[in-house]
Amino acid sequence: MAPIIRTVNLRKVYRVGNEKVIALNDVNLAIEPGEVCCIVGASGSGKSTLLNQLAGLEKPTRGQVFIGKHEINTMTENELAKFRQAHLGFIFQSYNLLPNLTAAENVALPLMFKGMPRKTRLKLAKEELKKMGLVKRANHKPTEMSGGQQQRVGIARAFVAKPKVIFADEPTGNLDSATTRQVLYRILQMARENNITFVMVTHERELAGCADRVITIMDGKVQSDVVVDEETRSRSRAEMFKDLVDLAPAEPQTTVPAQS
Amino acid sequence: MKISDLLRLSADNLRRRKGRTALTVIGVVVGTFAIIVLISLGIASNANNEAMLQSWGDLTQIQIWNYAYGSVGETPKLDDEMLETIRAQEHVVAATPFYSSNEINASIYAGKNERYEAYFYESYGVDMTALQAMEFQLQSGSWIPDGLNLGKKKIPVLVGANMGYGFQDTRKSWNSGKRQRWAGETDSLGNPVPPFVDVEKDKLTLRLMAYDSNGNEKTQDFELVVMGTFVSDTSKHYFTESGIAMRISDMKMLEQAYEKLSGKKNSSSGSSVIISGSGGVMREQDNGYQEVYVKVDDVDNVEEVENWLHDIGYEQTNSMTQIRNEMQASVAKSQMILGGTAAVALLVAALNIANTMMMSIYERTKEIGVMKVLGCEVGKIRTLFLVEAGSIGLLGGAIGVALSFAASAVLNNLNAIVAFFGGEGIDLSGLTSMMGGMAGMGGDVSIIPPWLVLLGLGFSMLVGVLSGLWPAHRATKISALEAIRHE
Ligand SMILES: Nc1ncnc2c1ncn2[C@@H]1O[C@H](COP(=O)(O)OP(=O)(O)OP(=O)(O)O)[C@@H](O)[C@H]1O
Ligand SMILES: [Mg+2]
C-alpha cells in the first residue's frame, strides 16, 4: 500500500543569532494509512519540529513532505488551510479550545471553516461529543470543564470533519496517568473505527507500546523506525486499558476494551 | 464560513471585553455626534439663508445691463436679436427687458373731465411669456396675447395691484392733503379709502405731450385697456404694486408716436446711454435695452448662466447667487473650522479602535493560531477582525446619530423647553451666526436630513474598518505555530 505520509530528506534548520540549530537532519519516513504512529525521543530531539513539518504548520528548510499525493511543503498558506479543512485534524497538548465558545461550538469549528450551516454542524458536533461521553457538556464553556473533559472536546473537534490524518503533540502531556489512558483509549478507538491515520508525539515510552509504529528521534535524526507486531501491541493495549471500566463507569463506549 | 458566523464570532469577542468595547465605542459616539451636530447646524444655517434670500427675490433670476463701468471691452448690443441668443442658451427659461422709455413725456387721465391724473413713468414694456415664466401672478384678468389688436389707438395693459392710488385729484391744490390717496389709508370709521379711479372699470386715457421745434405743445391720445391686475410682489418688480406693464411692441409704438410728435429722430429700440469715453468725451450710443432679466431653470444653474453672460461680454450682472455663494462660503468656512475639530475627535476614536483591536489580537494570538491550524483561511481571519472593528464603528455611529437627533430636538425647541422650566428665552442667533448664517429668521437651528444619518453611519463604520486594517493585517501574519507554543 502507498504510504499516506512520506518525507524525503526533510531538513529544518533554525537560526538563532549567528548559530544554526539543526532540528531535523535528513529525515526520511513513510507512514501507512490507518496506522497509529508514535514519535518518541528525548527532550529537544526534534519531535515537535518533525510533527509541525508533517502537518504543514511550518515550512521545511529543505526536503519534501507528502500527504497522500499532495506535496504540502510547496503549498501556499491558503492552499494549506483548505487542505487542513479537508484532510487533517489536530489535537493540542494544551487543548486550545476557544474560551468564548461552548463545547459544541468548539467541536463544530472546523466545519464552520468549511462553510457548513450552523444547525447541521452543531448536530454533528453533538454526535461527536456523545462518542466522547460529553453530551451533557455540549453547552458548557471550556472554563467550566476539567482538563480531561477539555481534551475530549479537543479530540471530538479533531475527528468531527472525518480527516484522513490526525496529528497530536503530547495530547496527554497535561493529564494525569488515569485520564491519559482514558483519553488515549478513545483516540485509538475512534481512529480505528474511521480508519484514520494517527500521528502522536509523546515522551512517555509506555504510551508508545500501543502504537502500530514507533519512530524514535535523536538529535534531529530517525534513530529507529519500528513496526510493532500484532501480538505485542494487543498485549500492551490490554494491559494499558484493563481498568478503564472502573475509570469511567458512566460512559458506555468505554466498557469494552478494544481488541484488534 | 458564513457572514452570520463572522458576525457571531465578532459579537462574541466584543462581548467578551465589554468594558473595553464600551470605551472604544464611546470614542466613536463622541466623534460622530460632534460631526453630525455641526453639519446639521450648517445645513440649518444654509436653509435659513435660502429662505431669507427667497424673501428678497427670485433666486433663479439674473439681471444684466447693456453697459459696464470701467469695462475693458465694449458691451455687446442688448437688442431683440441678442435676447433670442440668450433665450436659446441652455438652462435659460425666459428673458425680458423691463423696457421703460425716459424719452416719453406723458400722463394718464381718468374721471369726469379728466379730473384725475397719474404719471406714466412707472410703465414698462415686457415679454408676457417671460413674466409667466418668472412667476408673476395675476389676481384678476388675463395675460395679453401676442397677436391681440384692439384697434389703432387702444393699448392693452396689465396694472399693479394698487395702480389706482397713483391718480391725483387735479382739482385740489398741490399742498392739499386731499390731492392724493394711498393704499392702506382708512377713514375716520376705519374703512379703507378706495383710490380715485377704479382702473379696471374707468376709462384711462394716455396723453403724449411734446413740444415741436417752434415750442408749440402737441398731444396725442391713446386708450389704455386694462386686461388684468397683478398680485403685488415687489421682490419681482415694483410695477406689480403701482405700475403698468404692456407688450414691448406697444411701448415701441408709443415711443415712435412720441418721436413723430416731437419731430425728433431717435433710436427705435432702446434708451440712449451716456458712456464716458477714454478721452473723457461724452458720447451717446445706442446699445439696445438697458436692463434685461434672465430666468434660469434651477438655482444651481444660475452661476453657470451668469458666467456665460460674462463670457459673451455682459460684465455688469446681478443675481442672488452672488450673495448666496458668499453666504454659503461663510457657512462652509465655519463648518470647516468646527468640522475640523470634530474630525480630530473622530481621529482619536479611530486610533482608539486601532489600539483596542491590537490589544485584542495580542490577547488572542493563540486563538488565531488555533483557527489557522483548524483550517481557517487568512482572508477569513482578516474579515473577522475588520468586521469587529467595523462593528465598533457602526455601533458608535448609531448611538452618535441617535444622540444627535436628541441634541437637535433640544436645540430646535430650546425656548419652549426653557419656558417650560420657567426660564427666560434663549437667543440662539449667536450659534446661527457662528455658522455664518443670518440670525433671526426663526427657522430650525439644527436640521438632520436622512442623507446625514446615512453619512454618519457609513462614515463611522468606514472609520472602524479603516482603523481595523492594520490590526487585521497583523492578525493574518500570526503563525499557526502560535497554537502549539506554550506560555
Ligand atoms: N522556533 C525555534 N527557533 C529556534 N530553535 C528552535 C525552534 N523550535 C525548536 N528549536 C530547536 O530545535 C530543536 C528541536 O526542538 P523540538 O521542539 O522539536 O524538540 P522536542 O523533541 O519536541 O522536545 P520536547 O520533548 O521538549 O518537546 C531544539 O534544540 C530546539 O531548541
Ligand atoms: Mg515538543
Side-chain angles (χ1 to χ4, degrees):
Chain A
M1 213 191 314
I4 185 146
I5 302 172
R6 193 159 63 87
T7 69
V8 180
N9 298 330
L10 191 63
R11 192 178 168 86
K12 181 73 191 178
V13 180
Y14 291 111
R15 216 171 256 286
V16 181
N18 285 334
E19 266 178 75
K20 281 184 185 173
V21 179
I22 302 171
L24 291 177
N25 194 353
D26 287 332
V27 173
N28 290 289
L29 283 177
I31 297 168
E32 302 300 324
E35 261 184 349
V36 171
C37 173
C38 274
I39 301 172
V40 295
S43 184
S45 56
K47 306 182 293 293
S48 295
T49 308
L50 175 60
L51 193 83
N52 293 344
Q53 315 297 311
L54 295 183
L57 301 186
E58 219 180 356
K59 289 254 183 286
T61 309
R62 181 152 55 70
Q64 292 162 296
V65 179
F66 294 90
I67 294 184
K69 295 188 290 279
H70 306 274
E71 183 176 354
I72 65 163
N73 51 291
T74 57
M75 286 183 182
T76 66
E77 200 173 357
N78 270 333
E79 283 169 347
L80 269 171
K82 288 251 183 255
F83 187 77
R84 282 194 209 113
Q85 273 176 21
H87 304 299
L88 306 184
F90 222 95
I91 302 170
F92 303 90
Q93 179 177 353
S94 43
Y95 330 129
N96 283 348
L97 304 180
L98 299 200
N100 50 334
L101 300 185
T102 63
E105 286 170 338
N106 262 292
V107 173
L109 216 49
L111 301 176
M112 181 174 90
F113 296 141
K114 278 183 157 182
M116 188 182 284
R118 185 174 159 85
K119 248 188 164 161
T120 332
R121 65 175 192 249
L122 284 181
K123 195 167 154 266
L124 288 177
K126 279 178 185 153
E127 276 169 25
E128 216 63 32
L129 279 173
K130 198 172 171 189
K131 291 183 203 159
M132 288 292 134
L134 280 176
V135 79
K136 286 198 186 111
R137 303 277 170 188
N139 294 320
H140 286 217
K141 294 279 171 73
T143 46
E144 299 157 2
M145 287 183 276
S146 72
Q149 286 169 334
Q150 287 188 52
Q151 191 56 308
R152 278 186 281 159
V153 175
I155 294 164
R157 182 174 65 184
F159 278 93
V160 74
K162 301 277 173 286
K164 289 203 178 62
V165 184
I166 292 178
F167 295 100
D169 195 347
E170 308 201 34
T172 58
N174 287 0
L175 304 174
D176 63 37
S177 77
T179 319
T180 293
R181 275 178 290 158
Q182 194 188 12
V183 161
L184 205 57
Y185 175 68
R186 289 177 190 285
I187 293 176
L188 295 183
Q189 187 191 29
M190 298 266 287
R192 192 169 37 252
E193 273 172 16
N194 298 298
N195 194 32
I196 291 171
T197 310
F198 183 67
V199 183
M200 171 175 80
V201 166
T202 179
H203 50 229
E204 293 172 68
R205 276 256 164 212
E206 60 154 318
L207 294 189
C210 58
D212 301 313
R213 177 189 293 266
V214 179
I215 296 168
T216 311
I217 304 290
M218 206 171 96
D219 296 336
K221 283 191 183 130
V222 179
Q223 190 194 34
S224 69
D225 181 352
V226 180
V227 177
V228 183
D229 68 280
E230 187 87 30
E231 199 190 322
T232 325
R233 189 178 59 223
S234 302
R235 201 160 5 90
S236 53
R237 283 191 185 180
E239 171 68 21
M240 200 169 160
F241 301 129
K242 68 176 188 299
D243 52 351
L244 262 185
V245 185
D246 306 303
L247 276 170
E251 290 155 7
Q253 295 97 320
T254 63
T255 47
V256 184
Q259 297 292 321
S260 51
Chain B
M1 204 163 167
K2 302 196 154 41
I3 293 172
S4 58
D5 296 329
L6 281 169
L7 291 176
R8 185 178 291 108
L9 280 183
S10 299
D12 277 348
N13 285 323
L14 291 176
R15 224 175 291 136
R16 186 151 46 136
R17 298 259 174 270
K18 280 194 194 73
R20 196 166 65 194
T21 304
L23 286 175
T24 318
V25 166
I26 288 171
V28 184
V29 169
V30 170
T32 319
F33 175 77
I35 285 186
I36 292 194
V37 167
L38 288 171
I39 293 181
S40 81
L41 292 179
I43 293 171
S45 287
N46 273 334
N48 288 342
N49 288 346
E50 207 89 333
M52 175 171 291
L53 288 174
Q54 287 287 4
S55 74
W56 286 349
D58 190 344
L59 292 180
T60 58
Q61 221 164 283
I62 306 170
Q63 227 176 324
I64 60 176
W65 286 272
N66 68 347
Y67 57 90
Y69 297 108
S71 159
V72 192
E74 292 240 308
T75 308
K77 191 169 180 175
L78 196 47
D79 54 10
D80 289 319
E81 202 180 321
M82 182 55 81
L83 276 183
E84 282 311 316
T85 312
I86 292 172
R87 286 188 188 113
Q89 175 67 7
E90 206 184 346
H91 303 308
V92 173
V93 178
T96 179
F98 289 152
Y99 178 39
S100 68
S101 173
N102 26 19
E103 303 287 313
I104 299 175
N105 179 29
S107 279
I108 303 161
Y109 296 94
K112 211 172 184 183
N113 300 323
E114 302 182 341
R115 177 174 173 171
Y116 305 110
E117 180 186 4
Y119 300 120
F120 179 67
Y121 58 75
E122 270 190 56
S123 301
Y124 293 86
V126 295
D127 182 314
M128 290 291 155
T129 42
L131 286 193
Q132 292 168 64
M134 289 156 84
E135 286 153 16
F136 281 72
Q137 307 280 333
L138 293 179
Q139 50 174 296
S140 64
S142 60
W143 301 99
I144 305 168
D146 267 350
L148 183 69
N149 189 356
L150 300 175
K152 225 178 162 214
K153 300 279 173 187
K154 288 187 173 182
I155 301 172
V157 295
L158 299 173
V159 293
N162 289 310
M163 193 262 154
Y165 286 103
F167 284 93
Q168 302 179 6
D169 186 352
T170 54
R171 302 277 171 85
K172 299 285 187 288
S173 72
W174 278 100
N175 44 19
S176 162
K178 296 208 165 144
R179 192 180 167 96
Q180 281 189 48
R181 290 180 177 176
W182 57 91
E185 191 182 352
T186 51
D187 62 17
S188 52
L189 295 172
N191 296 317
V193 179
F196 293 122
V197 178
D198 181 352
V199 291
E200 290 186 27
K201 291 208 185 82
D202 300 352
K203 186 181 173 204
L204 305 179
T205 307
L206 173 68
R207 180 161 304 147
L208 307 183
M209 290 171 287
Y211 294 93
D212 65 13
S213 44
N214 302 323
N216 301 320
E217 193 189 44
K218 288 183 158 185
T219 63
Q220 187 176 6
D221 285 1
F222 292 88
E223 191 186 333
L224 300 182
V225 181
V226 175
M227 304 292 291
T229 306
F230 287 109
V231 173
S232 174
D233 182 355
T234 49
S235 77
K236 295 203 185 300
H237 202 284
Y238 55 79
F239 66 60
T240 59
E241 167 66 16
S242 54
I244 290 178
M246 65 182 72
R247 294 176 298 193
I248 296 173
S249 54
D250 290 330
M251 183 58 95
K252 286 184 178 170
M253 184 271 287
L254 283 176
E255 206 169 32
Q256 275 165 354
Y258 184 82
E259 275 161 20
K260 221 165 139 192
L261 206 62
S262 64
K264 273 190 225 162
K265 193 83 209 116
N266 216 324
S267 66
S268 60
S269 73
S271 55
S272 301
V273 179
I274 310 296
I275 282 183
S276 76
S278 51
V281 188
M282 304 292 274
R283 69 192 161 90
E284 209 168 46
Q285 103 181 17
D286 173 29
N287 211 19
Y289 299 114
Q290 192 172 333
E291 190 180 351
V292 165
Y293 284 75
V294 178
K295 169 82 177 175
V296 179
D297 57 1
D298 194 278
V299 193
D300 295 332
N301 296 326
V302 169
E303 198 170 1
E304 185 189 325
V305 173
E306 198 168 1
N307 286 338
W308 173 76
L309 288 167
H310 291 165
D311 287 346
I312 62 169
Y314 297 100
E315 289 173 37
Q316 187 100 345
T317 65
N318 181 35
S319 72
M320 289 292 181
T321 303
Q322 292 169 357
I323 306 170
R324 184 171 176 255
N325 284 350
E326 279 164 29
M327 284 179 162
Q328 282 182 344
S330 105
V331 171
K333 204 166 106 191
S334 30
Q335 263 187 314
M336 288 274 272
I337 296 167
L338 295 169
T341 321
V344 170
L346 209 57
L347 182 71
V348 172
L351 292 175
N352 235 340
I353 296 178
N355 184 50
T356 296
M357 294 310 295
M358 275 315 219
M359 275 166 78
S360 162
I361 283 159
Y362 280 128
E363 281 171 7
R364 279 145 69 189
T365 300
K366 192 158 190 145
E367 278 177 45
I368 295 163
V370 171
M371 284 166 62
K372 283 194 162 181
V373 173
L374 297 182
C376 185
E377 291 107 320
V378 171
K380 287 172 187 166
I381 289 173
R382 181 185 295 117
T383 316
L384 185 64
F385 284 97
L386 288 182
V387 167
E388 258 184 70
S391 305
I392 292 178
L394 188 59
L395 191 62
I399 298 173
V401 167
L403 287 181
S404 311
F405 270 107
S408 177
V410 168
L411 284 176
N412 289 339
N413 299 297
L414 204 53
N415 281 328
I417 292 167
V418 171
F420 180 79
F421 291 106
E424 291 277 305
I426 292 177
D427 186 10
L428 279 179
S429 58
L431 191 60
T432 317
S433 55
M434 180 178 78
M435 295 305 299
M438 295 289 158
M441 280 301 286
D444 279 349
V445 179
S446 157
I447 297 174
I448 304 178
W451 65 260
L452 188 54
V453 173
L454 292 180
L455 186 86
L457 294 179
F459 194 59
S460 53
M461 190 164 100
L462 186 73
V463 165
V465 171
L466 289 180
S467 326
L469 277 180
W470 172 243
H473 176 72
R474 290 294 300 269
T476 62
K477 293 289 165 214
I478 288 172
S479 161
L481 278 179
E482 292 294 341
I484 289 154
R485 202 156 284 159
H486 303 275
E487 292 91 34

